[in-house]
Amino acid sequence: MYRENVLGVQFALETRAHMLASARDEKRAFLAADPAQRSALVAESREAMKKAEDAMAAYHETFASAADEEQWAGVEAMVSKVIAARSGVMELLEKGDLVQAATAAAAMTADIAAIDEVLTETAQFNVDLAANSRDAAREFRWLQSQPLARDLRRRRRGPRTVDLHGAFDLRFGKPRRRRHQPLEGRPQRVGQRQFER
């Protein structure tokens, strides 16, 4: 899952970046006095929107469940709404109708802010999932490296006594007891195991 979460961060941020680039080119097209320059900026804005759509489609490979797919479908619908509205603005700019283009651009201001927020939240959500997956993997590798885990694996391959006290003491930093050494200054009962204090 770590790989999918990292890709989720990448594709969500790419979608956001391309939509921001499209908006920037749109604003520059409004300011361009030369029709040829305006047409070039309109083309760049459309190209950025196409890249945003590609990034949204690429996000699909990160789905881990139907719930993930349903949630992203809502994000796609929001972004597609802005893309459709901005495409209309681009057409008006190409015609030179700056007044109508400005009115149409202003009408989608709230939608632009909403997709920026939701794409940022989606990226952060995947960052958190990736970090949790990484930490879980590190903890698992640490547990696998401990003596108790190694003894348990060996036990599955054949009979073996597991030194539980030794593994516990090594894990928590306590001095390890040595077996078969008599206690000093005190006799033991017959049949008792002898340990050093």
Side-chain angles (χ1 to χ4, degrees), residues 3-63:
R3 174 182 176 275
E4 286 76 7
N5 298 143
V6 171
L7 288 176
V9 175
Q10 174 186 331
F11 296 139
L13 290 180
E14 282 183 2
T15 302
R16 179 177 180 270
H18 293 314
M19 290 303 293
L20 288 174
S22 174
R24 184 168 56 250
D25 291 332
E26 174 200 302
K27 297 299 182 283
R28 292 171 62 197
F30 271 105
L31 299 174
D34 180 26
Q37 184 183 10
R38 182 182 299 133
S39 295
L41 290 169
V42 166
E44 289 179 14
S45 181
R46 285 173 172 156
E47 178 63 22
M49 288 189 289
K50 176 64 171 61
K51 290 179 179 178
E53 290 177 325
D54 292 341
M56 285 195 301
Y59 189 95
H60 289 203
E61 68 178 273
T62 71
F63 293 157

Side-chain angles (χ1 to χ4, degrees), residues 7-165:
L7 288 176
V9 175
Q10 174 186 331
F11 296 139
L13 290 180
E14 282 183 2
T15 302
R16 179 177 180 270
H18 293 314
M19 290 303 293
L20 288 174
S22 174
R24 184 168 56 250
D25 291 332
E26 174 200 302
K27 297 299 182 283
R28 292 171 62 197
F30 271 105
L31 299 174
D34 180 26
Q37 184 183 10
R38 182 182 299 133
S39 295
L41 290 169
V42 166
E44 289 179 14
S45 181
R46 285 173 172 156
E47 178 63 22
M49 288 189 289
K50 176 64 171 61
K51 290 179 179 178
E53 290 177 325
D54 292 341
M56 285 195 301
Y59 189 95
H60 289 203
E61 68 178 273
T62 71
F63 293 157
S65 65
D68 291 344
E69 184 175 0
E70 182 178 355
Q71 183 178 17
W72 185 248
V75 176
E76 284 182 311
M78 295 172 65
V79 176
S80 296
K81 180 181 178 182
V82 172
I83 288 175
R86 183 166 291 149
S87 296
V89 173
M90 297 298 104
E91 291 177 3
L92 291 170
L93 284 172
E94 283 182 319
K95 295 176 182 177
D97 192 346
L98 299 182
V99 175
Q100 289 297 322
T103 302
M108 61 179 178
T109 301
D111 292 332
I112 292 172
I115 65 168
D116 187 72
E117 181 179 359
V118 74
L119 287 170
T120 301
E121 290 177 351
T122 301
Q124 185 58 52
F125 175 73
N126 280 279
V127 167
D128 294 340
L129 288 179
N132 292 338
S133 297
R134 179 198 59 207
D135 293 343
R138 286 177 177 174
E139 183 176 357
F140 178 76
R141 286 195 298 270
W142 182 87
L143 289 173
Q144 289 292 92
S145 70
Q146 299 310 297
L148 177 58
R150 290 199 301 268
D151 286 340
L152 289 174
R153 289 198 298 272
R154 292 192 189 105
R155 191 173 185 182
R156 293 190 188 100
R157 294 194 294 267
R160 179 185 175 90
T161 301
V162 180
D163 184 3
L164 296 175
H165 290 292

Side-chain angles (χ1 to χ4, degrees), residues 174-190:
K174 296 181 179 179
R176 186 171 179 175
R177 295 174 176 176
R178 296 181 180 178
R179 297 189 176 191
H180 309 302
Q181 293 193 10
L183 296 171
E184 295 180 2
R186 190 174 71 179
Q188 290 201 349
R189 297 178 185 173
V190 176

